[in-house]
Amino acid sequence: MGRKRQLQFGAINITMPAPHRPERYIELFHRAGELDKVVKLKGDWVGKLGTLRDDKDADGSAIIRGEFYKYIELDSTRDWFNVLKGKPADERELDQISIPEHLKPHFQYVPFVFFSKGHRLVMIIRDKEDVISAAQAVTILRGIFASSELVAIFGKIDLVIEPSRDTLEKILGMPRLRTLEIVVTPPNPDDFEEFERDLFDDMASQRASSYQLTLQEEEGEGLAPSDKVRKLARVAQSNGKVSGVGGARGKTTRLSTTEHPLIEKAHYDPDVEIRANVLLVKAREILQQIRN
C-alpha cells in the first residue's frame, strides 16, 4: 500500500430563477459544456469546464460528474527573454519557437460532482499540484453561465461559495456585536423549511432580487439578534453573505462568510482508491453538513 495523499474539498451553491426543477440544472450544465467556453482567470491562467457525465445518486436523483480544467494561455506576441544571453530574444530566435496552438502548458484539472437535488457542487480544490480553488471555479462557471445563449433560457444564475460552517456562529457570537449585515439572494424554495419558503415567496411577490438587513447596536449595548434574524442569517450564508463587526472600541474585528470558504480534507490511497469515488463519498458528507 502506497503513501496516502491528502485531498481538499470546497462547495458551491448554484441557484436559478423559477422553475427550479432538478432537470433544468442538469440541462444548464449540458448546455454550458456544449459552449466549450474558455474563461480568463488571473494573469495568463484560463479555465473551462471539462468532461461531463450523467450519473445517479444513491436515492436515484440526477447528478453530474465533471471536471474543471485550468492552464496557461501563452500570448506569443509578447516579448520573450533569452536567459542564456541575458537579454530579449531577437527575431531569429523567435522564429525558432514553434508551439502548436492546441497544446497548452501547466495543465491542471480537478473533479467535481453536482447534485441536482439541492443544487450544490462539491469539488476537489487541491490534490498535490492540481489546484483549482472554489473561487476560480465560480469565476469559470459565472463566465460561462453569463453567456447570452444560457441567460436567454435560464436567466441569471447565482453562485455562492459555501462558507466554513462555524463562521456564522463566530459572527453571531462575537463579543459586543456592533454591526450585523445580512444580504440574501432568492433561495430555491424546494429544499428548505417553511421559513425559507416564506422568505422566497415574500421576495418573489415584491419582485426583489435581494434582501438586505443591517442592524446597528445601541451605543455600548451590543446586538442581541432574534431567532428570526438568526434564521435569516442561516439562509444568507449559502444564499448571499453575512458579516459582522464586534469587539471593544479600538479593537474591533470584522468577519464575513465570504472570506472563510468551507474547506474539508480527506486522505486516500491512489493505489487502491479512485479519486472520483472518494470525492462522491466526501461530497455526500459535506451536503449533510450543509443541511444541518
Side-chain angles (χ1 to χ4, degrees):
M1 183 177 294
R3 176 178 293 182
K4 287 192 173 184
R5 295 203 326 231
Q6 184 187 83
L7 301 175
Q8 294 185 8
F9 306 82
I12 303 168
N13 185 23
I14 302 174
T15 56
M16 67 169 62
H20 307 291
R21 297 187 301 272
E23 57 267 27
R24 275 175 55 80
Y25 283 97
I26 299 300
E27 182 186 0
L28 169 66
F29 269 87
H30 282 301
R31 289 182 178 268
E34 290 169 359
L35 291 179
D36 199 30
K37 183 174 181 179
V38 176
V39 178
K40 182 171 177 53
L41 302 174
K42 288 186 178 180
D44 293 327
W45 289 97
V46 298
K48 60 176 294 186
L49 275 174
T51 59
L52 299 173
R53 180 167 64 86
D54 290 320
D55 204 346
K56 296 289 185 181
D57 201 4
D59 62 359
S61 60
I63 64 174
I64 287 182
R65 293 177 183 252
E67 293 174 335
F68 288 112
Y69 294 163
K70 184 175 78 170
Y71 53 86
I72 286 178
E73 187 69 81
L74 288 176
D75 183 353
S76 60
T77 65
R78 295 172 61 179
D79 291 339
W80 291 68
F81 184 71
N82 188 323
V83 297
L84 296 178
K85 297 181 178 179
K87 63 180 182 179
D90 57 33
E91 290 295 330
R92 181 181 59 81
E93 292 168 326
L94 292 177
D95 288 340
Q96 299 175 21
I97 299 173
S98 178
I99 302 176
E101 181 60 30
H102 64 279
L103 295 180
K104 307 297 181 181
H106 298 282
F107 174 66
Q108 300 178 38
Y109 74 102
V110 297
F112 70 81
V113 56
F114 175 75
F115 298 85
S116 63
K117 181 181 178 181
H119 44 85
R120 293 307 200 283
L121 182 150
V122 180
M123 60 182 289
I124 291 175
I125 58 175
R126 178 182 291 273
D127 178 12
K128 296 187 70 175
E129 285 77 29
D130 288 333
V131 180
I132 299 180
S133 68
Q136 289 176 322
V138 164
T139 299
I140 294 169
L141 292 175
R142 186 170 285 145
I144 298 172
F145 291 162
S147 302
S148 58
E149 302 95 320
L150 299 183
V151 173
I153 300 172
F154 303 100
K156 181 178 180 294
I157 307 299
D158 287 313
L159 300 103
V160 175
I161 298 172
E162 289 287 351
S164 172
R165 303 327 278 181
D166 62 352
T167 301
L168 180 59
E169 293 309 312
K170 288 181 179 178
I171 293 172
L172 296 176
M174 294 175 76
R176 192 179 167 186
L177 181 58
R178 294 169 171 268
T179 304
L180 180 64
E181 298 178 345
I182 300 173
V183 179
V184 183
T185 54
N188 283 11
D190 55 344
D191 53 358
F192 283 113
E193 300 172 357
E194 183 177 356
F195 177 82
E196 287 85 350
R197 291 177 181 272
D198 291 344
L199 175 62
F200 175 86
D201 291 341
D202 187 42
M203 293 177 67
S205 68
Q206 300 178 74
R207 297 193 291 274
S209 63
S210 67
Y211 181 102
Q212 301 184 35
L213 173 68
T214 301
L215 297 179
Q216 189 75 38
E217 69 161 352
E218 290 185 8
E219 186 60 35
E221 294 295 322
L223 293 170
S226 66
D227 287 343
K228 182 178 179 180
V229 169
R230 289 175 179 271
K231 288 181 180 179
L232 186 66
R234 177 178 172 272
V235 176
Q237 70 175 337
S238 293
N239 299 272
K241 62 181 180 179
V242 182
S243 59
V245 177
R249 188 178 299 278
K251 296 182 179 179
T252 57
T253 301
R254 180 180 179 85
L255 283 176
S256 175
T257 54
T258 60
E259 297 170 357
H260 298 274
L262 180 147
I263 298 177
E264 292 289 318
K265 299 177 181 179
H267 291 83
Y268 91 113
D269 185 344
D271 291 335
V272 297
E273 297 176 287
I274 299 174
R275 187 172 70 161
N277 292 343
V278 175
L279 166 62
L280 183 58
V281 172
K282 189 64 179 181
R284 289 168 177 156
E285 294 178 7
I286 292 173
L287 285 186
Q288 190 61 42
Q289 180 182 342
I290 290 171
R291 289 169 181 150
N292 291 339

